[in-house]
Amino acid sequence: MMRISDIMEKEIINVKNGKKLGFITDIDLDVENGKVSSFSITGSSGNFFSRGTEIDTVFWRDILRIGCDTIIVSIGSNFDTNQIDI
């Protein structure tokens, strides 16, 4: 069993492009069915000490794996080699 506080400490990583999406700030529950429907996340702002202010939504169906430190999701289009920042 996993607690909500444990999940909120995990960083969200998108498997399709390898980007760090941020951390969970809120959880949307379907109370009628007793299931998690989505997570609200705050993205990185580029500052090492701040978690940022950009907010996005990750749906439960997009989660591939919940690990010790990260949650791996599959969101958006596949990796594009033209978008590599070196």
Side-chain angles (χ1 to χ4, degrees):
M1 185 179 334
M2 189 174 295
R3 297 175 187 224
I4 291 175
S5 60
D6 296 334
I7 290 176
M8 294 183 79
E9 294 177 359
K10 299 178 187 298
E11 189 167 20
I12 310 295
I13 308 289
N14 189 356
V15 73
K16 289 198 174 180
N17 60 12
K19 277 190 157 185
K20 295 179 180 181
L21 300 178
F23 295 86
I24 296 171
T25 55
D26 199 10
I27 297 176
D28 296 323
L29 299 172
D30 178 358
V31 224
E32 291 180 14
N33 296 317
K35 296 181 179 181
V36 174
S37 56
S38 66
F39 298 107
S40 296
I41 59 172
T42 301
S44 301
S45 66
N47 185 343
F48 180 73
F49 297 103
S50 173
R51 288 192 175 179
T53 57
E54 184 180 331
I55 297 177
D56 204 358
T57 301
V58 174
F59 292 98
W60 184 261
R61 66 179 179 264
D62 296 327
I63 295 175
L64 299 177
R65 174 95 40 183
I66 298 177
C68 296
D69 298 321
T70 59
I71 297 176
I72 306 298
V73 298
S74 179
I75 299 173
S77 60
N78 288 331
F79 181 71
D80 183 5
T81 56
N82 294 326
Q83 296 178 349
I84 298 176
D85 295 330
I86 299 177

